[in-house]
Amino acid sequence: MSSHSLDSLFKPRGIAVIGASENPDKLGSIMIRSLSNFPGPVVGINPKGGEGLHTSVAEAVEAVGPIDLVISCVPAPATANALREASKAGATSSLICSGGFAEAGGEFDKYEAELQAAIDETGIRVLGPNTSGFFLPGEDLLACFVPSVKLLKPGKISVISSSGGVNLASCYSLARLGQGVRLGVGIGGAINVTATEVLEYLTEDEATEVVALHIEKVEDGPRLRAAVEAATRKKPVVALVIGRTDIKEFARRHTGSLDTSWELTRSVLRNAGAVVVDTEQEMVESAVALTGKRIPPKKNPQASFVTGQAGPGMIIADRLQTDGVDLPYLDSSIVDAIGEILPPMTHFKNPVDTGRPAPGLRKIIEITARDEQLDVLGAFAIVEETLNLTTEFVESGVTHLPVLASVDGPSETISKAMEIANQQGIPLLVGPTSLAVGIRALVEDSRARYAAELERIEGVAATDSANLATSSGASAGTTTPADGVTLIAEARHDDIFRTTVSLRLGANRTPAEHATPVFKGLAQRLITAVADADEINRFGALSEANWQPVDQVLASLAKTLEENPQTEQVSATLQVSKNGVIVLDSSLS
Amino acid sequence: MSSHSLDSLFKPRGIAVIGASENPDKLGSIMIRSLSNFPGPVVGINPKGGEGLHTSVAEAVEAVGPIDLVISCVPAPATANALREASKAGATSSLICSGGFAEAGGEFDKYEAELQAAIDETGIRVLGPNTSGFFLPGEDLLACFVPSVKLLKPGKISVISSSGGVNLASCYSLARLGQGVRLGVGIGGAINVTATEVLEYLTEDEATEVVALHIEKVEDGPRLRAAVEAATRKKPVVALVIGRTDIKEFARRHTGSLDTSWELTRSVLRNAGAVVVDTEQEMVESAVALTGKRIPPKKNPQASFVTGQAGPGMIIADRLQTDGVDLPYLDSSIVDAIGEILPPMTHFKNPVDTGRPAPGLRKIIEITARDEQLDVLGAFAIVEETLNLTTEFVESGVTHLPVLASVDGPSETISKAMEIANQQGIPLLVGPTSLAVGIRALVEDSRARYAAELERIEGVAATDSANLATSSGASAGTTTPADGVTLIAEARHDDIFRTTVSLRLGANRTPAEHATPVFKGLAQRLITAVADADEINRFGALSEANWQPVDQVLASLAKTLEENPQTEQVSATLQVSKNGVIVLDSSLS
C-alpha cells in the first residue's frame, strides 16, 4: 500500500481525536481545546460515547464530512486497531503522542510491531509516537497537548525537531526574539514520518523561509543528505546534531538510537549546504539571521560590522575570527571617508567602532556598505529609546547587501526594537555574541552551498557493493608515511551512512600521480578491514574501473593543495554505494 | 603620594560633575540626571557659572560639604588640571568617561602623560578614561551617562568589565534573567584603578556574593592571580577573557593592548579558582547559577539533573559531558525508588527523565537528591502556568545540596518563575543549554578552588632573575624524546606574566629522578633562548640551589602521574621572578 502525502497531516480537512473523554483534564480534552480555533471540523471519538463525542471515526465522518487526520490519545496496545478503523473511515494521517512503543523496550516492542503492521496494511501516515505534536499557528492548526502554544505567532521559520520538547523550547526561544513560527514539529519515534520527509515537504512550502533542524537520529543518511541539498538551494537550513558525547543509553529510551558518528553527520549536513551549529540557542539565532537576504554561494564571503561600543565589538570580532569568518581591512577610501566623521581615537578598519551610538551612525553604515569586497554587514549597539538600530539600516539606504543587527539594553527597548525590525524585514538579535553567531550563519549558509555545488561529483560506475549496510559500526584507522607523503586514511562502517572512507593528504605536496596509488591501497585495506568476510569479494570489484570517481576525488584534492599554498591538509570522505562513489565531505585545513 | 582607598569612589559623601552646563543634552547634564536619586549632595561645576552650577569644586565644598568624587566631563587636554583643582578641594577620587588619551595614539599620548603626572602628584584615584562609568543601584549611585541604567535593580552580582559597553550589556543580560546588580563598573583605560584592584575591593564587600569579570587587558599578572585566589576563597568569580584570536589592533584603540597569551591568562585565572567561560552570555548565566549554594572544593564533583522532557535533557547531558562534567549512574536503590513512580519507558539512571512534568516531580527530585555521591542537582522543564520548577525544589525539601533550575516556555510564565525563584533564593536560568552552563559553573567553581588549594607551592628561593620583564614576548618550544620519556617544554616571555616555562611529562611514567635532570636541561635551554643575552647570566644562578622549587614541582608531577593510571600527561607552568618560582598553572589530561 503506497503511503499518503504529508498534506493530509499538515493540511487536513477535518480532525478526529481518538480517546477523547468528558473529563477536561485528560490528554484528549486538552488536545481538542488546543484545536478550538481550527477552521475545519474537530471531533472527539469515544466508543462509549459522551456529551459532544462520536463513537467512531466513521460516525463522525457521516456527521461532519471528511476527516483526514486522527490524533490518537489511546494507550499503546489499542493504537494499531484504532488506526485501522480510522483508515477505513477515510483518514490518511495520524499523530500519536503517547509513548510505550519500541523506545520503552521489552514487552513494548510488540506494540510497535503491531503499529508497523497497521501502517503497512493501510498506508496511513503516522507522526510519532512519543511526541508533543505539531503546530501551524498561521493555519490555526495546533495539534499539540501543550496549551501555551496558542501564544506562538505565525512566522517564516519552521522547526523540525527529533524531540517534542526541543521543538517547544526552540519555538518559545524564537518568540523571545520576536519571531513567529510557520510549522513546529516534534518527530518523536519516527516510525513512519521522518525529519527528512518533513524537510522535503517544507522545501516546497512557500511560507517556510528558513528551516531549523534538530537531529537525534538519522534514519537514512543519503536521503537526508539529498533532502538538505535540495532544500538549501531554495532556503537556508540550520542544523543542530546531538550526540557529541556518549548519550546512547538515554537516546534509546527517547527517539530510538544514535547509530552514526556525530562528526560524520555534521560533516555530511554541512557539505550538503546546511549551517551546522552547536547549541539550540545558536540554532534559533542562526535561523533568525537567515530570515533576511542570503549571501550567494561563495568560497569565502567577507564580513564587516559597525559597533556602537568597542568592548562588545571586540567580543564580536574575536568570536567571528574564532569561527573562521574573515573581517578584511576596509578599502582605504572607505576608511578615509569614515575618518572624516569619527574622532581619531576609535578603530574603524573593520570592525568600525563608532565610539558610541552617534547621530552619524546611519552615514557610517552607508559608507561601510560601499566597500565592494563585503558580502554581509552587521551592526551592534546598546540602544536607548532614541536609537533604533534597524531604522539606522533602513535610513542608510543599504539594500544591496545582507544586513543583520543585534542590540542590547533594557527589555522594553529591545521589545520595541524587535517589533520595528519585524516590520522592516531586518533580522534582529540580542547581545554581542549573537551578532557573531548570526553573521557566521549567513557566511556558512553561503560557504556550505558553495561547497555543495562544487563538490557534487556524481558516481559514474555502478559497483556491486550495495549491501554493505548490514554489518555494524566497526572502524579502523592508520597513518602511513610513504615517500615523504603524509597520508591518513580511515574507514568507517555504520548503518546510517554505510561505508565511508576518509582520506587525508598531508602538506608535502606530492603530485597526485604519486599519492593516488598509495591512497588507493590504503583505502582498499581499510575497507577490507571494515567489511565482513563475505563482502571482501564485492569490494574487489572496486580495484578496477570502479575506482574512477575516487581517482577524480584524489586528483581534485591534490589540485586543491597545489593551488592553496597555505593549506596544510585536504581531506575527503567518500561514500561507496550501489550508485557509485560520492563525496560526503571534504575540507581544507 | 600614597593613593586613596576605593571607598571614596564607590562610597562618596558628595559628588561634583566637572564640565556641567545648562544645556540638558550635554554629557554633564545627563550625568547629573543619572545621579538625581543619590542621597548625598551632587553638584555641577562650570567656571562660567550658570543656573544651579558652582564655579569650582572648592566653592561647592563650601556650599554643600565634602566632595569625595569628581566626574570629569571636560575634554582630555583640560582633565589633568581639573583633577589637581578637585584634589586641592578635598576630592580623592574621580571618574573620567571621555576618551582621547593614550588609546587614541599620536598627539593624545601627551594628555595621558599629563593625567598620569596629576595622579602621581595628588594621589587622586582615577577610574577610566574611556568608560561609561559605574553604578551601585542599591546605593542609588548611578555614575553613568546611560540613562536607562536607572531600570537596573539592586542585586548580589557585581560586574567588573574592561569595557563600559560590556559592563552595560552584561547588566542588562542579568536583568533579563530577573537579576539585579550590586556594582557594575567599566574599567576603561585603567590608567589608575584596575580590574584587579576593584576585585580586591569587592572581596571585602559583603553585599557582593558573586563577581563577573571581563578581561581585555591584564596590567599585573601575579597580582591578578593573587586577587582571584583571595576572592574565590570567599565568593565565586566568573571570568571571560578576550583575545582568542588576533584583535590587537582593535584593542590598542580601546583599553590599551592585549599583551599576553589568551590561553595563559585563562589557565592562570582557572588555577587561581575562577570559573573561566567562553561568552558574555555564559558569564552571566554562570554568575546567576553561583548565586545559590556553592559546592565545596572537590577534585571532581558529581552532577545529576531531573528533566521534564527527554530531548532537552539529551542536549543538557551532551553539553555537560562535552564540558567534562560527570553524570554518574545513580545508586541502584535510588533508581529502583524512582522506578516505582515513573513509567518504564523513560531513562532515569542519570539524568532522570520524567517523561513530562508530572505531579510526582517534587518526589522524584527528593529521591534523586538522596544519592550520596551527588554534589549538585539541577532540573529542567518546559513550564506551564500550573508548574513552577523552583517551587518543586522547595517542596522537595532538598537543602543539603546546591540546586539549580532552568525553564523554558512563554515569556510571561518565565517572568513569573523568575520572580518566585528570586524570593525562594533558588538560581533560575532559561533554556536547556543554560542548565548545562550553570551546572558546569558550579562544578568548575569547586574544581578550580580545589586546584588552587592543592597546587599552591610557594617559592622558597629568591633568585636574581628579577628584571626579566623588560624583554618582550618571544617564545620558543621543543619536543625531545629521550630514554623513552616524552618531554614537552615551552618557554614564553611577556610583560604581563614575565617568564613562564611550561613542562610536560609524557605517559611513559619514568621515575622523577630520571625525568628531572632532562627537564631541567630543557627548561634552561628554553629560558636561555627567550631571555636577552644580558639575562643569560642571571638565569645561570637558577642551575644551583634555586632550582629547588622546580624540583618540587617536577617530583609532584611525577607523583601525580604514578597515582593516576589513566592520566596521559601532566603539565605545569612556572613563573620565575625575584620572589622565587611559583606554579601558575598545572593540569592533568
Side-chain angles (χ1 to χ4, degrees), chain A residues 21 43 64 79 95 97 132 189 213 241 248 251 295 325 327 333 336 367 378 397 409 432 435 446 464 523 544 558 565:
Chain A
S21 87
V43 296
V64 303
T79 304
L95 162 64
C97 292
S132 54
L213 184 62
V241 181
K248 282 186 186 141
I295 305 175
V325 175
L327 294 169
S333 67
D336 291 346
I367 294 170
L435 182 68
S446 162
D464 60 347
E544 306 304 324

Side-chain angles (χ1 to χ4, degrees), chain B residues 395-436:
Chain B
E395 299 286 334
S396 72
V398 174
T399 54
H400 64 290
L401 273 183
V403 297
L404 175 63
S406 187
V407 295
D408 215 318
S411 298
E412 297 73 20
T413 315
I414 291 178
S415 300
K416 205 177 293 172
M418 283 173 184
E419 215 172 284
I420 296 169
N422 276 340
Q423 287 159 12
Q424 294 165 331
I426 292 181
L428 182 76
L429 296 169
V430 178
T433 297
S434 304
L435 183 68

Side-chain angles (χ1 to χ4, degrees), chain A residues 9-10 34-35 95 127 131-146 148-150 152-154 157-159 163-172 174 180-186:
Chain A
L9 183 64
F10 297 131
S34 285
L35 290 163
L95 162 64
L127 178 66
T131 171
S132 54
F134 70 91
F135 36 83
L136 286 127
E139 316 289 335
D140 286 322
L141 172 51
L142 309 178
C144 178
F145 59 71
V146 177
S148 62
V149 298
K150 66 178 183 292
L152 297 169
K153 294 182 301 181
I157 300 169
S158 286
V159 176
S163 143
V166 175
N167 175 43
L168 289 166
S170 305
C171 292
Y172 289 129
L174 282 169
V181 178
R182 165 60 177 163
L183 166 69
V185 55

